[in-house]
Amino acid sequence: MTTNGRVNPKRTLEHQGITGAAAVHYNYVEPALVEAAVARGEGHLGKGGAFLCTTGKFTGRSPKDKFVVRTALTEDTIWWENNAPMSPESWAVLKADMLAHVAGRELFVQDLYAGADPEHRVDVRMVTELAWHNLFIRHLLRRPGRAELDGFDPEWTIINLPSFKADPARHGCRSDTVIALNFDEKTVLIANTAYAGENKKSVFTILNYLLPAKGVMAMHCSANHAIGNTEDTAVFFGLSGTGKTTLSADPSRILIGDDEHGWSDKGTFNFEGGCYAKTINLSAEAEPEIYGTTTRFGTVIENMVWNPETFDLDFEDNSLTDNMRCAYPLEAISNASATGLGGLPKNVILLTCDAYGVLPPIARLTPAQAMYHFLSGFTSKTPGTERGVTEPLPTFSTCFGAPFMPRRPEVYGKLLQAKIASTGASCWLVNTGWTGGKFGTGKRMPIRATRALLTAALDGSLNNAEFRKDPNFGFEVPVSVPGVDGALLNPRDTWADKAAYDAQAATLVEMFSKNFAQYVDHIDDDVKAAAIG
């Protein structure tokens, strides 16, 4: 056993029954992890000391290979229509085989916190066979102080072995790739994928199961607050590709986090300690802070093409994947919160990427409409985020995060409804997708317009605008906003063929109605009435 750093001597891997490794490296800090990853041939040292790596054929998550072990504990609490079950017997064989696979290999261990609020955080141990995976998760979760590691007692353990191939017949899974969660044993097993996002989303799934039982809303959202005023907090719900990271990284506000948060009775708290930002078409002009992290020491650059002579990154070359990313700690962003804590949300923003070009760039929602759109979770999966997605794919992902929701959607929807009611938060739907036509004929919503509309919403000035009622969805849309092209505010005006817009809008309304039918037996009458205005 080697310990560059510290580990609780009573909580080593051996105490957990994980034996036979050639070496175990506990709680390496960033320089040691970069050094180990380069020495082991896992990647290359890039400009400024960034770590450049690729993940092979897995450049996105594999949601169809994710399983939850079905036991008495989970039988009545898991949303089984959305979460594939694994039998305890299959789990036991999978775990035994993966632990046997450890023999003779080097392992890297990070002991970390999931959650900035000590009252609600979970102590997580990440065991990886790749040094750079340890670096990645050290960025993405919250790092205990060195002295805290002496008494660290992991509640959950995640074991990630990309070199292990599962056997569907033997392990009760779908393919040779598997992500399996056991809520009884508080263990996650990940095999045959080097995509680092599986690590962080496994932690998110754990928190999405545990926190609602404590009355805490687990949210797939970014969050920020006004400088000097944590009570002016905003949360931005949305799937990958909708703009959570970009829009919350507002230099005029303090960034709490870019992806995963909790909403307790005390306020908002980040689950993570870092960011995992998309880098395709990233520019120093549009997003200088995120761009700057790509040449920062220790930043993980995942699946980006780079010049072998100059080590310059190519932000436009998507030959490996559209889902190229960088992972870095929050302190790399100059306006990031040091605590990861905010107040109770004053504004709730639901981000959607509408590939049909029907929805307006912003709309004001009633609380009932907010719950309707939250449960609907309409967006478009963007290329690369999941395996097989090569162009924007319109989809309904309930709670803007169905792949990470172990409980039924209504659990999260009712929690959100109650918290909006108790705080009086303003609710907005923001479309960062297409305008002037659907994907292929229209164009992406101008980021400058989106930022201007969000600024007006967050500073309260948008509430003073004149609004019209949208004929398709019944929510309120501003007629004019200073600094924003008025035509953008009425999507129909941006289409050359108005009849084509009307037909596309009717199609989208029908899609919403059909999708929402699955929730009508589980929701209040006011939400039903708000379904389509």
Side-chain angles (χ1 to χ4, degrees):
M1 178 182 74
T2 60
T3 56
N4 181 331
R6 296 183 177 181
V7 64
N8 184 339
K10 297 181 180 180
R11 293 294 183 268
T12 64
L13 290 190
E14 287 77 8
H15 288 93
Q16 294 180 271
I18 305 174
T19 60
V24 181
H25 308 293
Y26 291 92
N27 296 307
Y28 271 22
V29 294
E30 291 80 358
L33 288 169
V34 171
E35 185 177 54
V38 172
R40 287 160 50 88
E42 296 176 5
H44 299 269
L45 198 63
K47 281 191 169 180
F51 181 73
L52 313 177
C53 61
T54 57
T55 60
K57 69 175 183 178
F58 295 92
T59 58
R61 292 179 292 101
S62 299
K64 293 181 180 179
D65 292 308
K66 188 174 180 179
F67 295 82
V68 175
V69 179
R70 195 166 196 159
T71 66
L73 173 67
T74 57
E75 179 63 43
D76 297 324
T77 54
I78 294 294
W79 179 24
W80 292 114
E81 294 87 347
N82 186 62
N83 294 270
M86 174 178 283
S87 71
E89 294 77 18
S90 294
W91 162 270
V93 175
L94 175 65
K95 182 180 178 182
D97 288 351
M98 288 186 66
L99 294 188
H101 187 75
V102 161
R105 300 175 187 276
E106 279 188 288
L107 294 179
F108 296 83
V109 176
Q110 284 290 322
D111 292 326
L112 301 161
Y113 298 139
D117 185 341
E119 183 178 349
H120 301 298
R121 76 186 180 203
V122 175
D123 295 353
V124 176
R125 167 165 285 179
M126 182 69 66
V127 182
T128 69
E129 126 179 78
L130 295 176
W132 80 263
H133 272 192
N134 237 234
L135 176 63
F136 170 90
I137 204 64
R138 182 170 171 81
H139 289 334
L140 266 295
L141 293 186
R142 304 190 68 83
R143 298 161 291 283
R146 303 305 285 173
E148 293 177 275
L149 294 172
D150 290 337
F152 191 94
D153 189 2
E155 181 179 358
W156 274 81
T157 299
I158 300 173
I159 303 171
N160 190 328
L161 306 176
S163 68
F164 180 86
K165 291 184 181 294
D167 179 345
R170 179 174 171 81
H171 300 129
C173 50
R174 188 187 73 98
S175 72
D176 52 8
T177 298
V178 65
I179 302 97
L181 293 87
N182 189 319
F183 286 96
D184 290 72
E185 295 188 15
K186 298 183 178 180
T187 301
V188 180
L189 301 175
I190 304 173
N192 193 46
T193 172
Y195 179 66
E198 298 288 11
N199 297 310
K200 76 183 233 77
K201 289 307 184 187
S202 293
V203 176
F204 188 38
T205 304
I206 292 166
L207 293 169
N208 277 331
Y209 181 81
L210 298 176
L211 292 181
K214 301 171 67 175
V216 177
M217 178 69 187
M219 305 180 290
H220 189 208
C221 73
S222 56
N224 62 27
H225 66 73
I227 295 174
N229 182 11
T230 59
E231 298 309 306
D232 183 2
T233 292
V235 295
F236 303 75
F237 286 94
L239 285 172
S240 178
T242 57
K244 292 194 312 301
T245 299
T246 297
L247 296 173
S248 58
D250 182 341
S252 67
R253 295 174 66 85
I254 299 298
L255 177 68
I256 302 172
D258 82 325
D259 197 39
E260 303 169 4
H261 294 80
W263 181 347
S264 71
D265 291 339
K266 296 188 301 182
T268 308
F269 62 98
N270 193 355
F271 291 166
E272 300 184 304
C275 300
Y276 189 34
K278 280 192 146 189
T279 55
I280 188 168
N281 299 322
L282 186 67
S283 72
E285 294 73 28
E287 298 173 275
E289 291 267 52
I290 299 174
Y291 186 89
T293 69
T294 62
T295 54
R296 180 185 187 275
F297 179 80
T299 291
V300 174
I301 304 295
E302 188 182 66
N303 294 319
M304 287 192 70
V305 174
W306 46 277
N307 186 306
E309 294 183 3
T310 66
F311 288 82
D312 289 330
L313 299 170
D314 191 331
F315 294 88
E316 297 180 358
D317 189 336
N318 63 348
S319 57
L320 294 177
T321 178
D322 287 287
N323 196 34
M324 56 182 77
R325 290 180 180 263
C326 62
Y328 50 88
L330 269 170
E331 58 259 30
I333 303 298
S334 62
N335 63 322
S337 167
T339 64
L341 302 172
L344 297 170
K346 182 178 177 181
N347 285 279
V348 174
I349 295 101
L350 308 183
L351 297 171
T352 181
C353 174
D354 174 20
Y356 287 117
V358 170
L359 296 175
I362 196 166
R364 185 167 62 184
L365 306 176
T366 65
Q369 288 171 335
M371 185 175 176
Y372 171 77
H373 284 277
F374 178 71
L375 287 175
S376 297
F378 172 71
T379 191
S380 302
K381 293 179 182 177
T382 52
T385 303
E386 291 182 9
R387 294 170 61 199
V389 179
T390 58
E391 64 180 45
L393 178 65
T395 187
F396 290 89
S397 184
T398 189
C399 309
F400 294 99
F404 327 117
M405 301 297 163
R407 297 180 182 270
R408 278 203 60 85
E410 299 82 20
V411 172
Y412 307 101
K414 289 178 179 179
L415 258 177
L416 180 65
Q417 185 180 33
K419 291 188 178 297
I420 290 173
S422 67
T423 61
S426 297
C427 303
W428 309 89
L429 181 70
V430 172
N431 174 27
T432 62
W434 272 255
T435 184
K438 64 180 181 179
F439 170 75
T441 58
K443 60 182 180 180
R444 284 301 293 263
M445 197 70 67
I447 183 66
R448 184 173 297 179
T450 302
R451 287 191 184 280
L453 291 168
L454 276 174
T455 296
L458 297 184
D459 68 19
S461 62
L462 190 56
N463 282 315
N464 300 321
E466 177 186 354
F467 285 81
R468 65 175 178 85
K469 184 176 180 179
D470 182 84
N472 299 305
F473 291 92
F475 42 50
E476 294 183 316
V477 181
V479 174
S480 65
V481 176
V484 178
D485 182 355
L488 285 176
L489 297 171
N490 189 341
R492 191 173 188 271
D493 290 345
T494 67
W495 283 54
D497 186 338
K498 310 304 184 197
Y501 171 84
D502 294 338
Q504 191 68 79
T507 296
L508 186 59
V509 168
E510 181 64 18
M511 289 174 62
F512 265 84
S513 297
K514 287 182 177 179
N515 173 75
F516 204 73
Q518 64 185 301
Y519 305 120
V520 295
D521 294 332
H522 304 277
I523 59 173
D524 298 335
D525 289 340
D526 60 338
V527 180
K528 294 178 186 178
I532 299 295

